[in-house]
Amino acid sequence: MATTPYPFVAGAVLTASQLNSTFNIPTTTKTASYTLTAADAGTRIYMNSGSATTITVNTSIFAASDVVEIFNIGVGVTTITAGTATVSSAGPLAVPQYGSGRLTFTAAGASIYTPTAVTTTSSGLTLISTTTVGTTVASVTVTGAFSSTYDNYKVTYSGGVASTAVDLQMILGATTTNYYYGFGYLPYGGSLASVTVNNGSSWAYAGGANTALTYLNCDIFRPFATDETLIASVGGNASNGNFGGGYLNNTTSYTAFTITPSSGTLTGGTIRVYGYQNS
Amino acid sequence: MATYKIQIDDEVRDATVEEAAQIEERQAEAEAQADAAEAKAAAKKAVLLKLGLSNEEAAALLG
């Protein structure tokens, strides 16, 4: 293991190998929980244990500006633990396998831990794809939208316009039969009205559009799975609020969907597909 | 048959004859459904008119 002559002292003579080794940080490997000592200043500690371990930080061991690097190469999570010194951090103090971080002392009894690699927590909703709709298109197909990664999806389309007031139909893959859908809408100041799709060629009211806006907000349940796919939608425009739900009566696995206006064309806006995290 | 532009992901192209036929089929179905909904609404309005009831009164009556 290369070691540097750190700390340098007055009158010391550096050899070539010592000078070269200043580019190598001294390292030690610990296979069990460990309490930092003064000799660890300016070094890198590899933690390598199959079980959970701790690195304990005590006061009056280090001076301000001392630094200790910590890498965890073992399966067991290493946790940076405040002993008699304080350990502050904007991130987690748990260091997963192949995670790392730097412990910097601001005073003899105070340190800051800055993780450089951590295990991220999956968010509930993950953006899968973004499709910018072109000009005067009669349909838009998004491929690669569904996969085994997620069971359920959210699809939104906003920011575009239609050539006239239309409903937005949705189909999965190339399937144009067996769509069922119940749709209710409430004209502002009016009363509830409804319409249904009974073994139709699409989910005919998945969204809507007019010359000022597009709106589509659908949850799609299990389109990739080989069982029936369900849809739930909710939306609104300048004249009514609406909601719908239905299903596709087959067991086909789908990776793509198509949005089609009930007449005319669509221009602009963005179709976004999100996956609901399974766990 | 009319010509249509379709988009697949980021690519926009002219629809094939088969694709255009599918678009027109779905649009025709939507038009038929809209007509049916309109007829249903008109029939409802006619009944309410005959009974002399407003939408709200009819909704209250039906619970």
Side-chain angles (χ1 to χ4, degrees), chain A residues 139-224:
Chain A
S139 72
V140 185
T141 297
V142 177
T143 66
F146 313 129
S147 70
S148 60
T149 304
Y150 307 100
D151 288 346
N152 307 317
Y153 300 82
K154 176 174 281 296
V155 179
T156 65
Y157 174 32
S158 61
V161 296
S163 57
T164 184
V166 293
D167 297 307
L168 294 180
Q169 309 165 342
M170 178 182 283
I171 66 168
L172 301 187
T175 298
T176 55
T177 60
N178 286 317
Y179 290 90
Y180 294 81
Y181 200 72
F183 181 74
Y185 58 100
L186 273 163
Y188 306 130
S191 57
L192 179 65
S194 63
V195 62
T196 62
V197 174
N198 186 22
N199 193 11
S201 62
S202 71
W203 287 316
Y205 308 98
N210 56 35
T211 56
L213 56 82
T214 59
Y215 65 93
L216 182 140
N217 175 26
C218 293
D219 285 335
I220 312 290
F221 300 91
R222 298 178 62 79
F224 188 79

Side-chain angles (χ1 to χ4, degrees), chain A residues 131-143 169 191 197 200-201 204-205 260-263, chain B residues 4-10 12 22-23 25-31 33-34 37 40 44 55-56:
Chain A
T131 303
T132 301
V133 175
T135 303
T136 63
V137 294
S139 72
V140 185
T141 297
V142 177
T143 66
Q169 309 165 342
S191 57
V197 174
S201 62
Y205 308 98
T260 304
S262 54
S263 67
Chain B
Y4 299 95
K5 283 196 297 182
I6 68 169
Q7 180 172 345
I8 299 175
D9 296 325
D10 294 329
V12 177
Q22 287 178 1
I23 290 169
E25 180 185 344
R26 288 204 293 278
Q27 289 182 346
E29 182 181 311
E31 191 174 347
Q33 286 169 340
K40 183 179 166 187
K44 179 182 172 185
N55 278 334
E56 290 72 21

Side-chain angles (χ1 to χ4, degrees), chain A residues 1 13 20 24 60 64 71 87-88 110 167 214 230 250 253 258 268 270-272:
Chain A
M1 182 191 310
V13 177
N20 289 334
N24 296 314
S60 301
F71 279 67
V87 178
S88 304
D167 297 307
T214 59
L230 309 180
N250 67 34
S253 173
T258 297
T270 305
I271 298 170
R272 293 183 176 88

Side-chain angles (χ1 to χ4, degrees), chain A residues 6-266:
Chain A
Y6 178 86
F8 302 108
V9 295
V13 177
L14 286 175
T15 66
S17 64
Q18 286 175 328
L19 188 59
N20 289 334
S21 68
T22 57
F23 291 94
N24 296 314
I25 297 174
T27 63
T28 57
T29 299
K30 310 296 181 187
T31 57
S33 293
Y34 177 67
T35 299
L36 294 177
T37 68
D40 296 317
T43 72
R44 176 181 297 148
I45 297 173
Y46 287 105
M47 298 300 290
N48 187 7
S49 172
S51 305
T53 57
T54 59
I55 287 184
T56 301
V57 187
N58 287 330
T59 190
S60 301
I61 305 296
F62 300 96
S65 299
D66 279 352
V67 170
V68 181
E69 285 193 358
I70 296 159
F71 279 67
N72 182 18
I73 59 175
V75 173
V77 171
T78 295
T79 302
I80 312 302
T81 305
T84 54
T86 62
V87 178
S88 304
S89 179
L93 295 175
V95 188
Q97 187 178 32
Y98 306 126
S100 63
R102 171 176 288 194
L103 198 58
T104 303
F105 286 82
T106 56
S111 65
I112 297 172
Y113 178 69
T114 47
T116 53
V118 298
T119 299
T120 57
T121 302
S122 299
S123 66
L125 211 54
T126 302
L127 179 63
I128 296 170
S129 72
T130 299
T131 303
T132 301
V133 175
T135 303
T136 63
V137 294
S139 72
V140 185
T141 297
V142 177
T143 66
F146 313 129
S147 70
S148 60
T149 304
Y150 307 100
D151 288 346
N152 307 317
Y153 300 82
K154 176 174 281 296
V155 179
T156 65
Y157 174 32
S158 61
V161 296
S163 57
T164 184
V166 293
D167 297 307
L168 294 180
Q169 309 165 342
M170 178 182 283
I171 66 168
L172 301 187
T175 298
T176 55
T177 60
N178 286 317
Y179 290 90
Y180 294 81
Y181 200 72
F183 181 74
Y185 58 100
L186 273 163
Y188 306 130
S191 57
L192 179 65
S194 63
V195 62
T196 62
V197 174
N198 186 22
N199 193 11
S201 62
S202 71
W203 287 316
Y205 308 98
N210 56 35
T211 56
L213 56 82
T214 59
Y215 65 93
L216 182 140
N217 175 26
C218 293
D219 285 335
I220 312 290
F221 300 91
R222 298 178 62 79
F224 188 79
T226 53
D227 51 30
E228 293 169 346
T229 300
L230 309 180
I231 182 174
S233 67
V234 64
N237 56 32
S239 61
N240 67 75
N242 54 67
F243 54 90
Y247 82 116
L248 175 54
N249 184 17
N250 67 34
T251 57
T252 305
S253 173
Y254 294 100
T255 60
F257 66 88
T258 297
I259 295 171
T260 304
S262 54
S263 67
T265 60
L266 299 171

Side-chain angles (χ1 to χ4, degrees), chain B residues 12-13 17 47 60:
Chain B
V12 177
R13 61 168 173 79
V17 172
V47 170

